[in-house]
Amino acid sequence: RFSPEAKAKRNSYSYMPFGVGPRACIGMRLAVIEAKLILIRVLQQVRFTVVKETPIPLQFRGGVVSAPKDGMCLVGTNSQHRMATLSISSQNLYIGVIAVALSALTYLLYQNIIAPLHYFQRLGIASPPSTPYFGHILSINRYGFQHCYLNYTRQMGTVYGLMFGRVPEMVISDLDAIKEITVKRFNQFINRGELLKIPEDSPFYHGLLRLRDHHWKRVRGLLVPTFSGAKMRQIITMMNNISQNLVDQLKQKCSQDGKIDIWRSYGQVTMQTILAIAFGVESDDHSGSSSLTKAARNIAGTATRLLLLLPLFPRFLVRLLFMFRRPGGNDAIFLRDTTMEVLKSRREQGLTDRKDLLQLMIDAGDN
């Protein structure tokens, strides 16, 4: 699978973990370097095999982010080869009010339940069976995007439609069509779709994922130099230290004959890497108990599953929800405020010798 010959035969658009084209993930280079470096350091000193607790085939939990449903337990051996299981009259008024209410209710039921069921049918586009009002959200929230999309593609082909509540989305798996949309005709498909309108005072509002048109181009243009190969080499030392910490942790587990949930171990390392590379905060905390780690995990976990359900509700209800309780909002505000404090501190102290991403972005913005 990984030989040069096999790679040459494989269409580059058949696997897109970071997307493709100008709107591909801007942190792709960073993520690939992190993954390669950690895997190399770990596999040089630890060997893994499956055990009876290892889920085969791997089952994914529901939600937006794909993750093993019950973790991924492996057996590891360290360099000593020790094993670990890793209204004219009142009557007429009442009748009129009831008639108006029934008419409004009928209209709402049609718009929210009946019409979405036939949206793609009217366009001549295939669509798997959906649940009234919910569309396909319940299945995706239960089984996860990856599981549902693979099953739908087997059933419906490479082009089909899904309903997120009342919001239609097209899924395209045809590789030539993907290349046409994301690269060749990118100028016609610049913006990402929005399942819901995010309030302007939300920390997510100015995020690179939802910025549109010239606003997106301006911000991405500022950030691209930060993720160049030369800049990534400046933070290799940080990644190397974190990788070695992981190796030491795994070897200790092997010596103790303890089980290792490799998915959780890698997840904790990813959080440590984000803290070190983004904020310059190096931590040996393998429990992931720091405030920054918890905030990031909450945003990527529970908050994303709640956001998936928001398209089910009218916009005024969504606005009320964001006014009183924003899914992931408190954690996002905490991360934003922490970042602003670090920026202020560095500018006041004139710190320019840091090699983390935050400093690289400060330099890019000041240049």
Side-chain angles (χ1 to χ4, degrees), residues 89-100:
S89 66
S90 58
Q91 182 178 3
N92 291 337
L93 174 61
Y94 294 146
I95 294 175
V97 170
I98 293 174
V100 171

Side-chain angles (χ1 to χ4, degrees), residues 12-84:
S12 60
Y13 289 85
S14 61
Y15 180 60
M16 305 179 298
F18 303 100
V20 292
R23 288 213 75 140
C25 176
I26 196 171
M28 174 178 63
R29 191 189 301 270
L30 169 63
V32 171
I33 291 176
E34 176 191 347
K36 287 182 177 180
L37 183 59
I38 291 176
L39 283 173
I40 289 172
R41 293 301 298 271
V42 169
L43 294 179
Q44 282 176 339
Q45 303 182 55
V46 182
R47 294 292 179 266
F48 297 102
T49 56
V50 299
V51 289
K52 63 180 181 179
E53 292 90 348
T54 306
I56 301 175
L58 193 62
Q59 299 294 319
F60 290 92
R61 69 187 183 193
V64 177
V65 181
S66 294
K69 185 177 180 181
D70 300 308
M72 188 164 61
C73 185
L74 297 174
V75 168
T77 57
N78 59 22
S79 55
Q80 285 75 40
H81 301 288
R82 297 185 61 181
M83 299 300 294

Side-chain angles (χ1 to χ4, degrees), residues 213-253:
D213 302 319
H214 67 279
H215 298 292
W216 168 79
K217 291 182 180 179
R218 180 183 65 83
V219 174
R220 186 175 177 90
L222 286 172
L223 294 179
V224 163
T226 302
F227 294 91
S228 66
K231 296 295 177 64
M232 291 298 98
R233 285 192 289 272
Q234 296 180 26
I235 56 180
I236 286 293
T237 301
M238 289 185 185
M239 290 188 182
N240 199 40
N241 293 337
I242 295 171
S243 301
Q244 187 57 50
N245 289 338
L246 174 63
V247 171
D248 294 341
Q249 178 196 13
L250 294 177
K251 293 177 71 174
Q252 183 180 7
K253 290 282 189 180

